[in-house]
Amino acid sequence: MKLLFLGDVMGRAGRTAIIDRLARLRADWALDFVVVNGENASNGAGLTAAHAKALLDAGADVLTLGDHAFDQKDMLQFCETEPRIIRPLNFSKAAPGKGARVFEATRGRKVLVAQVLGQVFMKRAFDDPFSAVDAVLRAHPMGGTVNASLIDVHCEATSEKMAMGHFCDGRASVVVGTHTHVPTADTMILERGTAFQSDAGMCGDYDSVIGMQKEEPLRRFITGMPKARFEPAKGEATLSGLYVETDDRTGRATRVEPVRQGGRLSQQGPV
Ligand SMILES: [Fe+2]
Ligand SMILES: [Fe+2]
């Protein structure tokens, strides 16, 4: 199976890049399944129902969220009615929606998608992500009930994401990090066949500070005093993420390539 994962869509610039480019990538790369992290798609904080629909219409099969899952209040309801939205497994026992679900890709093949939040340097004490992921992977084994599985690991620390990659090695097709908005250069297939990259990077304007216009973050770093709100940067976005090929029988990755399309970052992709 040919899978594409794209990291945190940042504001209008990120949405526009998805709408302009994803259908073309789906066709050009013969993609079977596309997962997009949408936690910052609405003005940099959360995801509205309208923007979720736009990303799904543009060619995403599933949208994952993150620590900003419910910054836009209509997501509290929308994620209960739209099964293609996945929030973190360990967000809160009271959270609406689901943290993992099995979806159907092309030719009836089954793909598990799950997301967890990390505990290191995060703003709240979330429940243990390792036991949460373990239960989901045991319930949906590759080569058993699913043909492939993808885990979005939404963490600040690369150490925690890398540990999660090894924890899932051989049990998931892809473990990919999100949340830091900067792609890491450790794209690889782990020892037992899991495709891994510590962070996918964002789908946003990289002429920015992690997707926000530069002026206010710089002011706060330099003076320690806020003056204005953070606003998403408006220049052309780079679509950032991972392209993965998997073996339908075992679910293991046979190829992984970083993806960076459009915008300021040096360009990468499977072709
Ligand atoms: Fe996040
Ligand atoms: Fe994010």
Side-chain angles (χ1 to χ4, degrees):
M1 211 168 336
K2 292 175 177 168
L3 311 174
L4 176 67
F5 179 86
L6 294 174
D8 311 42
V9 174
M10 188 66 194
R12 181 184 296 274
R15 298 195 315 270
T16 301
I18 297 271
I19 290 162
D20 289 350
R21 290 173 174 272
L22 183 54
R24 182 81 180 268
L25 293 183
R26 270 199 94 113
D28 288 353
W29 298 349
L31 298 172
D32 296 298
F33 199 71
V34 176
V35 180
V36 175
N37 182 302
E39 75 146 358
N40 307 108
S42 298
N43 203 33
L47 178 63
T48 64
H51 291 159
K53 285 177 192 157
L55 297 175
L56 291 165
D57 288 348
D61 292 300
V62 176
L63 302 174
T64 56
L65 295 169
D67 52 317
H68 292 288
F70 303 111
D71 286 7
Q72 301 288 336
K73 297 302 165 229
D74 62 349
M75 186 51 70
L76 289 164
Q77 275 236 293
F78 190 65
C79 72
E80 292 275 26
T81 57
E82 174 49 80
R84 293 174 291 174
I85 294 192
I86 294 294
R87 49 86 172 157
L89 276 168
N90 55 338
F91 190 91
S92 153
K93 294 213 171 16
K98 287 244 184 325
R101 205 177 252 126
V102 175
F103 297 92
E104 200 164 294
T106 51
R107 289 193 266 129
R109 289 168 290 182
K110 300 278 192 286
V111 184
L112 168 71
V113 178
Q115 182 182 52
V116 275
L117 285 161
Q119 295 179 304
V120 180
F121 306 136
M122 298 298 278
K123 59 194 163 201
R124 277 207 299 121
F126 298 109
D127 290 345
D128 170 23
F130 289 88
S131 56
V133 166
D134 191 56
V136 166
L137 291 176
R138 283 175 192 277
H140 304 286
M142 298 195 307
T145 54
V146 299
N147 300 102
S149 56
L150 182 147
I151 313 291
D152 171 349
V153 193
H154 199 79
C155 307
E156 198 73 61
T158 46
S159 56
E160 193 173 19
K161 294 191 253 203
M162 210 175 258
M164 184 63 79
H166 292 300
F167 183 69
C168 300
D169 189 14
R171 301 195 287 161
S173 312
V174 191
V175 173
V176 59
T178 52
H179 179 70
T180 72
H181 294 197
V182 178
T184 56
D186 57 345
T187 316
M188 62 179 148
I189 296 176
L190 302 176
E191 204 181 347
R192 299 191 190 90
T194 296
F196 178 78
Q197 186 172 308
S198 291
D199 204 292
M202 66 172 169
C203 297
D205 174 10
Y206 280 80
D207 181 20
S208 66
V209 174
I210 64 168
M212 294 296 182
Q213 290 176 27
K214 292 173 279 192
E215 293 70 23
E216 180 61 18
L218 277 167
R219 180 185 296 117
R220 293 193 198 183
F221 277 117
I222 293 163
T223 70
M225 288 175 283
K227 190 173 167 192
R229 292 165 61 98
F230 288 137
E231 295 288 345
K234 295 190 170 106
E236 188 190 340
T238 303
L239 292 185
S240 303
L242 276 188
Y243 167 89
V244 183
E245 294 180 6
T246 63
D247 179 322
D248 287 340
R249 197 177 50 80
T250 64
R252 290 181 185 181
T254 54
R255 183 183 175 199
V256 60
E257 303 290 344
V259 170
R260 278 150 225 165
Q261 296 282 311
R264 297 185 79 84
L265 293 193
S266 61
Q267 303 293 285
Q268 306 256 7
V271 287

